[in-house]
Amino acid sequence: MQTLTSVKALRSAISAEKQAGKRIAFVPTMGNLHSGHISLIKRATELGDCVVASIFVNPLQFGANEDLDNYPRTLQEDMDKLLGAGTDYLFTPSAKEIYPQGMALQTQVSVPDITDTLCGASRPGHFVGVATVVSKLFNIVQPDTALFGEKDFQQLAVIRKMVRDLCFDIEVVGVATARNEDGLALSSRNGYLNDEQRSLAPQLHATLQRCQQDIIAGCHDYANLVRRCSEDLQGHGFNVDYFAICDGTTLRDITSQSPEIVILVAASLGNTRLIDNVTLTLNPAGN
Ligand code: PAF
């Protein structure tokens, strides 16, 4: 695995791979890699002949009061994991390399509509930061395929829309959420949880699953389900940012035309904000 820090060096390495006829699969990350990230890399090795990963803790997607400074940085361990999983190139640019004129002068990519709800509503500017850095990384790497985790369901939807709207010639692949045995979705932020919070955290997925089962069993009083699930989570000590049952494509209210439903949650234990989701498909009868 070659680790490169400059746009120029990465471009020249990838261009040689492309000239040799290789298909490029790209996994952008912010590091502190866990087995969820490694499953993205493994899938990338199946979809491409040359796997490129990036580690860049993107300051543009963090709000002023968020965890940018404390975000876990574990480069050496990450490099070992990436190498073991079959990565060919690792791109670890500095903020100066990505934002040479500073963030204030950076042209920004704003994806409308789908970003003003859920995490977009709670984290103003977050998805502009994500869309901007991902479009820059796409232009630098020029991959054939890019892989993202389904845990960040809204992020994946935003990136899919951006790719469509800006005509990026890139196949976006979502990879199923990796979970601990108790159901907790793997996340770099799980490391912030103390023992008590860690023991409560699996309630997030358990509540999503109960809600999913209730809908499958025929309960379509979504407002009531949302209220009940939010109260359940509060009862377990979560501070609920949102619990929502949405159309899986628009992330808006479910309509009679919604074939796929997504149930999404963002909730904090102490200062640690966790997100998760489950999807389900309605049959034509609507149940
Ligand atoms: O999901 C992440 O780790 C980040 O949001 C991403 C896609 C690497 C952009 O910084």
Side-chain angles (χ1 to χ4, degrees):
M1 181 176 82
Q2 268 191 61
T3 300
L4 302 166
T5 55
S6 81
V7 171
K8 197 169 165 212
L10 185 72
R11 277 211 165 121
S12 115
I14 291 177
S15 132
E17 298 287 356
K18 286 194 162 202
Q19 268 163 27
K22 302 267 183 74
R23 197 179 148 78
I24 311 295
F26 177 45
V27 180
T29 81
M30 298 205 300
N32 193 235
L33 305 181
H34 49 65
S35 35
H37 295 109
I38 299 310
S39 69
L40 295 177
I41 300 285
K42 292 260 168 67
R43 186 84 186 101
T45 62
E46 294 162 3
L47 297 176
D49 316 299
C50 171
V51 174
V52 181
S54 63
I55 296 180
F56 178 61
V57 183
N58 173 33
L60 199 59
Q61 70 187 73
F62 287 79
N65 301 320
E66 294 184 351
D67 55 346
L68 173 63
D69 291 340
N70 296 330
Y71 199 84
R73 288 156 172 91
T74 49
L75 186 58
Q76 192 49 57
E77 291 95 314
D78 291 350
M79 286 169 70
D80 295 343
K81 290 178 188 168
L82 289 171
L83 178 64
T87 310
D88 297 294
Y89 294 96
L90 170 62
F91 183 46
T92 56
S94 63
K96 183 91 184 140
E97 185 70 9
I98 295 294
Y99 302 118
Q101 298 182 51
M103 291 194 291
L105 295 182
Q106 170 62 48
T107 300
Q108 298 192 332
V109 178
S110 166
V111 181
D113 194 36
I114 201 166
T115 51
D116 60 14
T117 175
L118 305 167
C119 285
S122 316
R123 303 182 68 190
H126 171 67
F127 285 120
V128 167
V130 171
T132 301
V133 80
V134 171
S135 57
K136 291 192 75 145
L137 291 167
F138 280 178
N139 282 325
I140 295 165
V141 176
Q142 301 196 10
D144 298 284
T145 304
L147 298 94
F148 296 86
E150 288 177 350
K151 181 175 80 71
D152 296 287
F153 191 93
Q154 188 177 15
Q155 169 172 282
L156 181 55
V158 169
I159 289 165
R160 285 192 197 284
K161 177 168 165 55
M162 180 188 84
V163 161
R164 270 196 315 274
D165 290 357
L166 297 183
C167 305
F168 279 106
D169 189 12
I170 297 172
E171 177 200 23
V172 174
V173 174
V175 176
T177 304
R179 298 184 180 280
N180 285 291
E181 274 177 12
D182 58 14
L184 178 64
L186 299 189
S187 163
S188 302
R189 293 192 167 100
N190 292 350
Y192 298 151
L193 299 170
N194 64 29
D195 288 350
E196 192 199 346
Q197 292 165 341
R198 177 62 189 80
S199 69
L200 294 167
Q203 287 304 325
L204 211 56
H205 186 236
T207 308
L208 287 170
Q209 280 185 310
R210 277 199 300 279
C211 183
Q212 184 188 41
Q213 286 313 315
D214 286 348
I215 297 173
I216 291 169
C219 173
H220 295 164
D221 182 351
Y222 299 127
N224 191 33
L225 274 176
V226 164
R227 195 175 46 249
R228 222 183 53 213
C229 292
S230 304
E231 282 169 7
D232 286 354
L233 286 171
Q234 276 152 16
H236 286 292
F238 286 85
N239 188 1
V240 180
D241 177 3
Y242 61 76
F243 191 100
I245 305 174
C246 301
D247 178 297
T249 309
T250 62
L251 298 186
R252 300 282 171 193
D253 286 347
I254 292 163
T255 69
S256 54
Q257 310 298 314
S258 305
E260 189 187 48
I261 287 184
V262 59
I263 313 168
L264 308 108
V265 63
S268 303
L269 284 168
N271 293 327
T272 305
R273 186 174 184 275
L274 302 173
I275 60 172
D276 201 354
N277 68 82
V278 296
T279 56
L280 68 145
T281 307
L282 290 181
N283 68 25
N287 51 38

